[in-house]
Amino acid sequence: MKKTLLTLIAAGFVGLPAWAQHTQKQIEEDIKRHRAMAAAHEAAAQCLESGRGEKVCLQELQAACRGLAIGKYCGMRHAH
């Protein structure tokens, strides 16, 4: 009985989302980072809508995301 209870408790902790294990300060920093990434992606979308071209818009996105997100697409992958 005791072993089963410990197993269930341990399984519950393993299943916790990563954000549930962060401090309030870390969560606030994540929120700021997500908002900054969202703003960079919105600017990239507006750039593409303006017809300035994928290459230019991607360069601007990469500049806006430098030090903010991982990868060439600012933390977002495309299917194409």
Side-chain angles (χ1 to χ4, degrees), residues 1 3 9 12 16 24 27 33 38 43-44 49 53 61 68 74 80:
M1 174 73 173
K3 190 174 182 178
I9 291 170
L16 285 176
Q24 185 61 34
I27 292 170
R33 226 179 347 264
E49 285 177 332
L61 175 65
L68 181 65
C74 191
H80 55 84

Side-chain angles (χ1 to χ4, degrees), residues 1-14:
M1 174 73 173
K2 196 175 193 179
K3 190 174 182 178
T4 304
L5 182 58
L6 288 175
T7 302
L8 289 172
I9 291 170
F13 282 115
V14 170

